[in-house]
Amino acid sequence: MNIAVAYDNGQIAGNLGSCKTFLIVTVEGKEPTGKRLAAVDGEGTTALLKLASLEKLDVLICGSLGLAIRNALEMIGILLVPGCEGSPKEAVAKFIVGEKQGDPT
């Protein structure tokens, strides 16, 4: 499973629409097996969808996001965990163990 976290200066980015970097964590079972930073190449929804496809994302943890990008990501099968803030590593660890976080609205 590939989990992406909208990343800005070591924290979860507050707004997905302006985020240019993502922390990608590969997870096997319940253990992270790799991590790397990936940059969005371009602007807007299309560039983010391209990154999601290239990185084969399963989950996206982020701060706020607009309705259009939410719908587009959900349509391609990405599980969204919006409304998060703080440490990307902690957010991934919470997701792996099934701890609720963020704000689904």
Side-chain angles (χ1 to χ4, degrees):
M1 169 184 345
N2 288 326
I3 301 172
V5 183
Y7 190 84
D8 184 31
N9 292 322
Q11 298 292 308
I12 296 173
N15 184 327
L16 183 63
S18 62
C19 183
K20 296 294 180 196
T21 307
F22 291 83
L23 176 66
I24 311 291
V25 180
T26 302
V27 177
E28 292 180 18
K30 292 202 178 259
E31 292 296 321
T33 58
K35 64 181 175 183
R36 66 191 178 288
L37 291 176
V40 176
D41 185 24
E43 297 285 325
T45 301
T46 304
L48 181 55
L49 292 173
K50 182 178 176 183
L51 175 76
S53 178
L54 290 172
E55 294 290 341
K56 298 181 176 143
L57 299 182
D58 301 296
V59 177
L60 175 61
I61 298 171
C62 60
S64 66
L65 72 161
L67 185 58
I69 190 66
R70 174 190 288 266
N71 290 340
L73 291 167
E74 287 177 340
M75 284 179 62
I76 63 171
I78 296 177
L79 175 64
L80 298 174
V81 184
C84 296
E85 56 186 28
S87 166
K89 291 177 186 177
E90 286 181 25
V92 170
K94 287 178 181 180
F95 179 83
I96 291 171
V97 299
E99 186 176 324
K100 294 218 183 255
Q101 61 183 325
D103 179 4
T105 61

